[in-house]
């Protein structure tokens, strides 16, 4: 209490003293204007005015002074330079009759402080040309500029000059040089210079080194360095502690950070706002939510940086409700919320998918004028996109005054994740046209869109541009390349990327395992799984989907059962509906419908549409109408507008001769306004996608295509092809049925591919529905007659037709 009163009186006295000094200077200034004083008195007054920031009054005095010396000129140059008025500083500098090293240093210091790189170095070199040697302070200023802007090459030139002029033994200059190398992330050079210092009791150079280790993310080296610093008896300060706490957080060294906290309390820096902020950040990044909260509460000043760190930490650790609660508290305390606060809060809403509250925050952002900030705009786009509200994301994007690669990436990724892959590709092209160079994140997203649309040529262009760009390869991008090539049926390229990767994780292996399974190479898919286990990589939820899919399509019942049982027993992964669907499909292929039904009844999770579709497909193949009816009725509820269960059940009734039931289902489907998805096929050619419908005559090459179809049918019939009338419309004569089959969308696409690709080149065709049995048979003959590799991907898997065989023929 006594100390508080003393401090209060002392501060009052000091404030009154400053006011008195200010009145004296003002009085003396006015008296100078009216009468003459000695040069010494005028210089003292000029210096006082300059130091107090009264630059215009100093200039007025400067202009009135009858005589000026070097001190006068240098003081005025420094006054302008230090206040950022560099044009006026240069004018006074040019007018200075005699330029000393101090004169040059005053100007150079101003340029460096205001980050005027070109002017600073031009003046630095010109100073030497005019025979003036820079002082330690000049060199310190220039090196500080190199540190701030990361100018490594220029810093190295200054280092060379220091060696020539023997400044390399000056502690002040060497400390600045260590700082430059550390800030430019050349820590080895910084270490070598540090070792040359004989006097290492200077806490500044130790702090500089700690900051350097923190910048390059070498937290363990920073921690060792801090221990050495303590052992040498060098005191830490308010700059040292934040650096070591940041390093501790980077390697999640919670116990070490807690020990540093103890040192902070002992050293008396506990109340320092920068130190407290670093403590909050360290604890929350290390997952110690309670200690971070206690550190935040103990702060005497509401520091927005600390609150931001706490909110970000809560979001990352899944404490979404607490993050929003902290934001509300910030708002109620009338804290100065900044452009870093809002993105963290918006990330919370992206996770919660609470659109009403999110829009309320958006309104607050607009109200407070933060919508023009790029960080906030990017976060808004990202939030709306993750909530599936892509229209609002686009609206925010359109009104952003400045768009960077993050803005574009958020929108492109949003479209890709919401299934609008064509729009994602369109936006990516617009992004390139706008001169925005893509980064690894947008590359990964756009490759995902290419994979879903099976646009191999576009994906290959992205790959080529990525290599040319010189962007550093990342695991996520490499994984996206493997996935894209595998999903486009190009396993050779997928393998090539896989083999070139320095590191592969479970996503990499799974992409290849699923790729082989979907391309009809199930046994090789299982071999890859064994190789993955041999590397010590553990499978995940998706890996087992690929394995069971491979077993299903390869007919490996025992293997499938083994993998299914090992999920929970060996790896603790509970099977999801997708795994059950694969197993039911596998049982169905073997005609084991009783086992399939038993597995369905004992499911640990509620069956979804994929499970009932797998069962319905199996029932259709084996004519199990009663079980098929159960599957279809469940699908009517789960997917009321899906035409597939209606069509399949109707076909089952027709195959069994139950025409009235078939007509009833068709009538029910029509009464509900449910339309069967029209089959379409497409082929990519020279960067353009060509789409075909059954009996389509809208294409510009229609005449050539239909002429080619007639040729194909003639040749494959000669080779033994017989049209399968079971896949033709029933209300047509034989000739009409044959023509209808000949003009299926996949046959039209293949005909176009044969016309437009070089002889011997593979033809890649994609279809939105399953390929019909007649087209599947026809493709075998076409591949043999025309000596082509035909790659047809339907809604289920890839079919590789070569020399009259299909990849699925190896197993069934």
């Amino acid at each position: 209490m006594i100390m508080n009163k003393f401090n209060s009186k002392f501060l009052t006295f000091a404030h009154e003293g400053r006011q008195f000094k200010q009145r004296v200077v003002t009085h003396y200034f006015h008296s100078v204007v009216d009468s003459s004083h000695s040069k010494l008195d005028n210089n003292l007054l000029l210096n006082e005015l300059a130091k107090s920031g009264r630059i215009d009054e100093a200039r007025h005095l400067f202009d009135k002074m009858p005589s000026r010396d070097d001190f006068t000129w240098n003081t005025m140059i420094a006054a302008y330079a230090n206040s950022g008025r560099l044009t006026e500083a240069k004018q006074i500098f040019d007018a200075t009759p005699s330029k000393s090293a101090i004169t040059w240093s005053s100007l150079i210091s101003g340029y460096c402080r205001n980050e005027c790189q070109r002017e600073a170095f031009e003046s630095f070199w010109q100073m030497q040309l005019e025979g003036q040697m820079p002082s330690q302070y000049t060199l310190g200023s220039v090196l500080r500029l190199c540190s701030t802007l990361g100018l490594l090459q220029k810093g190295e030139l200054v280092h060379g000059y220091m060696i020539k002029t023997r400044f390399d033994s000056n502690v002040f200059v060497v400390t600045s040089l260590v700082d430059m190398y550390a800030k430019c992330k050349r820590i080895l050079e910084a270490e070598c210079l540090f070792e040359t210092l004989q006097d290492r009791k200077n806490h500044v150079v130790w702090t500089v080194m700690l900051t350097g280790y923190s910048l390059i993310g070498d937290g363990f080296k920073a921690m060792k360095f801090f221990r050495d610093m303590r052992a040498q008896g060098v005191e830490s300060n308010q700059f040292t502690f934040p650096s070591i706490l940041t390093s501790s957080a980077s390697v999640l060294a919670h116990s070490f950070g807690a020990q540093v906290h103890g040192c902070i309390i002992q050293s008396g820096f506990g109340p320092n706002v920068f130190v407290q902020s670093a403590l909050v950040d360290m604890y929350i990044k290390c997952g110690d939510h309670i200690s971070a909260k206690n550190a935040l509460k103990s702060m005497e000043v509401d520091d927005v940086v600390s609150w931001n760190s706490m909110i970000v930490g809560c979001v990352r650790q899944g404490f979404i409700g607490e993050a929003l609660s902290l934001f509300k508290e910030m708002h109620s305390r009338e804290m100065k919320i900044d452009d870093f606060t809002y993105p963290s809060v918006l990330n919370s809403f992206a996770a919660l998918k609470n659109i009403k509250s999110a829009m309320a925050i958006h309104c607050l952002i607009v109200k407070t004028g933060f919508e023009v900030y790029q960080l906030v705009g990017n976060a808004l786009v990202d939030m709306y996109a993750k909530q599936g509200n892509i229209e609002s994301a686009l609206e925010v994007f359109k009104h952003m005054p400045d768009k960077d690669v993050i803005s574009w990436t958020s929108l492109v990724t949003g479209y890709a994740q919401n299934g609008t892959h064509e729009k994602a590709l369109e936006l990516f092209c617009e992004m390139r046209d706008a001169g925005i160079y893509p980064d690894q994140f947008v590359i990964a997203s756009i490759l995902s869109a290419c994979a879903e649309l099976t646009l191999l040529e576009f994906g290959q262009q992205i790959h080529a541009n990525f290599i040319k760009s010189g962007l550093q390869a990342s695991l996520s991008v490499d994984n996206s390349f493997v996935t894209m090539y595998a999903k486009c049926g190009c396993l050779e390229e997928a393998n090539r990327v896989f083999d070139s990767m320095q590191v592969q994780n479970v996503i990499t292996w799974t992409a290849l395992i699923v790729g082989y399974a979907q391309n009809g190479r199930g046994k090789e898919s299982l071999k890859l799984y064994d190789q993955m286990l041999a590397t010590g990589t553990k499978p995940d939820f998706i890996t087992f989907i690929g394995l069971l899919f491979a077993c299903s399509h390869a007919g490996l019942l025992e293997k499938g059962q083994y993998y299914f049982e090992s999920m929970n027993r060996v790896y603790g992964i509970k099977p999801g509906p997708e795994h059950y669907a694969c197993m039911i499909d596998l049982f169905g292929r073997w005609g084991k419908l009783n086992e399939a039904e038993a597995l369905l009844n004992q499911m640990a999770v509620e069956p979804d549409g994929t499970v009932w579709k797998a069962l319905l497909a199996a029932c259709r193949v084996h004519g199990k109408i009663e079980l098929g009816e159960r599957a279809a009725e469940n699908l009517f509820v789960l997917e009321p507008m899906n035409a597939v269960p209606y069509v399949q059940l109707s076909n089952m009734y027709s195959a069994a001769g139950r025409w009235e039931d078939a007509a009833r289902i068709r009538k029910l489907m029509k009464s509900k306004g449910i339309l069967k998805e029209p089959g379409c096929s497409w082929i990519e050619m020279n960067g353009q996608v060509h789409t075909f419908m059954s009996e389509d005559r809208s294409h510009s090459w229609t005449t050539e295509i239909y002429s080619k179809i007639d040729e194909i049918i003639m040749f494959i019939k000669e080779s033994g092809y017989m049209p399968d009338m079971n896949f033709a419309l029933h209300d047509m004569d034989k000739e009409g049925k044959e023509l209808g089959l000949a003009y299926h969308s996949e046959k039209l696409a293949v005909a176009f591919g044969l016309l437009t690709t070089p002889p011997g080149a593979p033809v890649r065709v994609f279809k939105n529905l399953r390929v019909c049995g007649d087209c599947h048979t026809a493709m075998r003959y076409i591949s043999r007659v025309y000596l082509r590799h035909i790659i047809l991907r339907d809604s289920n898997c890839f079919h590789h037709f070569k020399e009259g065989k299909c990849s699925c023929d190896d197993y069934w």
Side-chain angles (χ1 to χ4, degrees), residues 596-614:
E597 188 176 13
L599 181 65
L600 175 74
N601 293 332
Q602 66 184 30
M603 280 181 64
V605 293
E606 191 69 27
D608 68 358
T610 58
V611 175
W612 292 113
K613 283 175 193 172

Side-chain angles (χ1 to χ4, degrees), residues 151 165 233 270 597 683:
L151 307 174
T165 54
E597 188 176 13
I683 182 169

